Amino acid sequence: MNRNSGAIFSDDAIRLSQDGWPSDCLLTATAIRDADPDAAPPEIRTVSGDTVFVPSLQRAELERFCATHEIRLTRRPDVWGYLLEPFLDTSFTAEQQAGTIERLARAGLAAAEVARIRGQVGPLMLAYNSVHRDWHHLGLADLLDAACGSVVPEHLRIGPTDRAAFHAWAMEIADRPNSA
C-alpha cells in the first residue's frame, strides 16, 4: 500500500503527499488540531476536520513536531475501522458486532446510517481486501487507498471528478465524534 509518499518536516510545517487525492498539502503547525501518532498509520487531524496520514516510520518525527508546537496528542475513536469491520478477512460473533454498533452509536452514527455507509463502500472494500486479505484492521487510510488506487477494478474506484466529494464525505464521517 502506498498511502503517501512521505512527510517532510520543517521548523513550522509538514508537507504531505497523499497519493491520488488533492494535491500535496502543506500543513503549518497552526493548521493542525491534533495528532495521533499511535494510530495505524499515524494521523494528523486538521483544524478543518480532515485527516491526513504520516508513514509509520516517521512516527517519532510527528511526535517531536507536535511537542515542539504544543499540538495536542489525542486518541480518537476509529470510526472507519468500526465501519469497515465486516470487510475484514475474519468473522465476528454477534456480541462483537453489537459492541461495534454500540461504539458507532456513541460516535453519532445510528444503525440505519451504518448500514447505508457499509452498503455504499462494501463492493469497494471487498475488492480491496480480496487482494490484501487483512484480518486485523481496515480504516480510513485503506478506504482512501481503495477508492483511487490501482488494486481494485476501475469500475469500483471513485473517479477523478467524484473524488473531492467522496473525500469530504469520508472525512466528515471520520470527524463525526468531534463535530457532533
Side-chain angles (χ1 to χ4, degrees), residues 107-144:
L109 288 106
E113 184 178 15
V114 168
R116 183 180 53 72
I117 292 167
R118 286 176 169 170
Q120 186 172 342
V121 301
L124 177 70
M125 294 312 297
L126 286 170
Y128 177 82
N129 209 32
S130 72
V131 173
H132 291 286
R133 298 218 167 290
D134 198 323
W135 57 270
H136 178 66
H137 179 265
L138 293 170
L140 177 60
D142 298 292
L143 176 68
L144 298 176

Side-chain angles (χ1 to χ4, degrees), residues 165-178:
F166 183 85
H167 189 267
W169 173 76
M171 292 300 158
E172 185 275 325
I173 291 169
D175 200 35
R176 190 72 63 90
N178 295 308

Side-chain angles (χ1 to χ4, degrees), residues 9-14 27-37 43-47 52 54 61-76:
F9 291 83
S10 67
D11 289 340
D12 64 347
I14 306 170
L27 290 177
T28 61
T30 58
I32 299 173
R33 181 171 77 202
D34 58 56
D36 185 357
E43 300 177 352
I44 295 171
R45 187 72 52 101
T46 67
V47 172
V52 293
V54 173
E61 287 177 86
L62 175 60
E63 289 173 338
R64 279 191 297 276
F65 185 86
C66 291
T68 298
H69 297 285
E70 299 179 351
I71 296 169
R72 180 172 51 113
L73 301 182
T74 187
R75 189 82 175 144
R76 294 180 293 275

Side-chain angles (χ1 to χ4, degrees), residues 27-112:
L27 290 177
T28 61
T30 58
I32 299 173
R33 181 171 77 202
D34 58 56
D36 185 357
D38 293 327
E43 300 177 352
I44 295 171
R45 187 72 52 101
T46 67
V47 172
S48 64
D50 280 354
T51 300
V52 293
F53 304 98
V54 173
S56 295
L57 293 174
Q58 292 183 291
R59 182 181 323 267
E61 287 177 86
L62 175 60
E63 289 173 338
R64 279 191 297 276
F65 185 86
C66 291
T68 298
H69 297 285
E70 299 179 351
I71 296 169
R72 180 172 51 113
L73 301 182
T74 187
R75 189 82 175 144
R76 294 180 293 275
D78 186 1
V79 174
W80 276 108
Y82 303 144
L83 285 167
L84 299 178
E85 268 187 6
F87 312 111
L88 289 168
D89 195 17
T90 192
S91 59
F92 294 91
T93 66
E95 292 82 19
Q96 290 170 318
Q97 292 173 24
T100 297
I101 294 296
E102 184 178 313
R103 286 187 290 279
L104 286 165
R106 284 195 304 266
L109 288 106

Side-chain angles (χ1 to χ4, degrees), residues 10-33:
S10 67
D11 289 340
D12 64 347
I14 306 170
R15 179 172 298 283
L16 296 155
S17 174
Q18 306 291 265
D19 292 341
W21 292 101
S23 60
D24 289 0
C25 65
L26 180 67
L27 290 177
T28 61
T30 58
I32 299 173
R33 181 171 77 202

